[in-house]
């Protein structure tokens, strides 16, 4: 089978590797679509995602959809359309028994955080545990289902804020995760404003239901105006903006990842307004709700802007890096 391997920074190649055989409790999938995430871009351009360095060829990709190829148990028929929860959870810890996505020792598809690395989905075939598989409803196309993982991230973050129906919600950063946050908040009944520094992402946020957009390179965000802010850019200045724009007693959820080093942020509004500032990391089981939302909301598929073959990986990564012209970029296998 063909697999895309990131071998080091700026070096990705398609290789022929053996088709894997599923073991007990596992399923082999024929992958059809794989989304390119920010972590994949870090692995390709830098040879590392934060502290996680590529030490052996790494197959990227944790956002995927496809069909069952072989289920030795016979539970899932060949050809069944599916997506995948990409996490294998680690060791339970006291105090977070009900949050396995926070347990230490887990793994995520397409990650160099483990040794050996946890290989990802940018291959023709992929082996996963049966409990990671999510069968798609008949009215959800396989192509749209590739958005289930990033939409689950957004739904998890939104859940941290509580019920947002009828509330003014600000989404800072309208990249792929920000777009999913817009879609999730709109579906939950919020009035959504989205920000970015580029016109392309703002146009896509409008297409996904944002009632207003703000180009923060030219216009300030109104202070104390939003009940909830979903900070999706991972840029320190946007965190300061989020804390300034949230209303007193409001909630800011940090969705965008930041580098693991000190960065300047204005925390004065956080204190004086008694703001709830919460982190959101990946998700627990929200991928099930993501599948349901994608099935009943075809318009979310508008976030998908480009498809590439894995043989065109260099161009695909470059396109995904260009947020002015691209939303979610996917490999079509």
């Amino acid at each position: 089978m063909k697999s895309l391997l990131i071998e080091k920074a700026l070096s990705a190649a398609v290789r022929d590797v053996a088709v894997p055989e599923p073991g007990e409790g596992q399923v082999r999938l024929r992958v059809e679509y794989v989304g390119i995430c920010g972590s994949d871009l870090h692995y390709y351009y830098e040879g590392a995602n934060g502290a996680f360095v590529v030490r052996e060829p790494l197959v990227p990709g944790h956002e995927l959809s496809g069909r069952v190829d072989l289920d030795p148990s016979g539970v899932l028929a060949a050809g069944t359309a599916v997506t995948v929860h990409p996490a294998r959870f680690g060791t339970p810890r006291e105090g977070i028994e009900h949050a396995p996505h926070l347990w230490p020792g887990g793994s995520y598809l397409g990650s160099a955080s483990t040794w050996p690395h946890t290989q990802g989905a940018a291959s023709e075939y992929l082996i996963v545990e049966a409990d990671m598989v999510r069968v798609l409803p008949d009215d959800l196309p396989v192509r749209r289902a590739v958005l289930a993982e990033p939409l689950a991230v957004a739904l998890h973050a939104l859940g941290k804020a509580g019920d947002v129906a009828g509330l003014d919600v600000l989404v800072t950063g309208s990249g792929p995760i920000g777009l999913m946050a817009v879609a999730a908040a709109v579906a939950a009944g919020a009035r959504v404003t989205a920000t970015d520094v580029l016109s392309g992402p703002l146009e896509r946020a409008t297409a996904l239901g944002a009632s207003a957009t703000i180009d923060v390179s030219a216009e300030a965000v109104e202070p104390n105006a939003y009940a909830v802010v979903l900070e999706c850019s991972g840029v320190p200045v946007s965190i300061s903006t989020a804390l300034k724009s949230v209303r007193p007693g409001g909630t800011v959820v940090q969705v965008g990842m930041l580098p693991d080093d000190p960065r300047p942020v204005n925390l004065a509004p956080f204190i004086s307004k008694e703001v709830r500032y919460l982190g959101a990391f990946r998700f627990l089981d929200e991928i099930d709700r993501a599948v349901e939302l994608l099935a009943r909301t075809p318009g979310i598929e508008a976030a998908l802007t480009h498809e590439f073959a894995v043989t065109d990986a260099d161009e695909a990564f470059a396109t995904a890096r260009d947020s002015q012209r691209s939303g979610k970029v996917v490999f079509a296998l």
Side-chain angles (χ1 to χ4, degrees), residues 4 15 17 35 40 84 95 98 105 109-110 112 136 150 191 195 204 229-230 243 247 254 275 285 316:
L4 175 64
R15 307 292 188 198
V17 300
D40 303 317
V84 170
H98 302 296
L109 293 178
L136 304 185
R191 295 181 297 273
T195 77
R204 288 185 282 274
V229 181
L230 303 176
L243 293 170
R247 72 186 186 190
Q254 185 63 44
V275 174
D285 54 11

Side-chain angles (χ1 to χ4, degrees), residues 55-58 107-108 111-119:
R55 293 181 286 161
E56 65 174 345
L58 174 69
S107 65
Y108 218 68
S111 174
S113 63
T114 58
W115 181 257
H117 297 338
T118 303
Q119 301 299 337

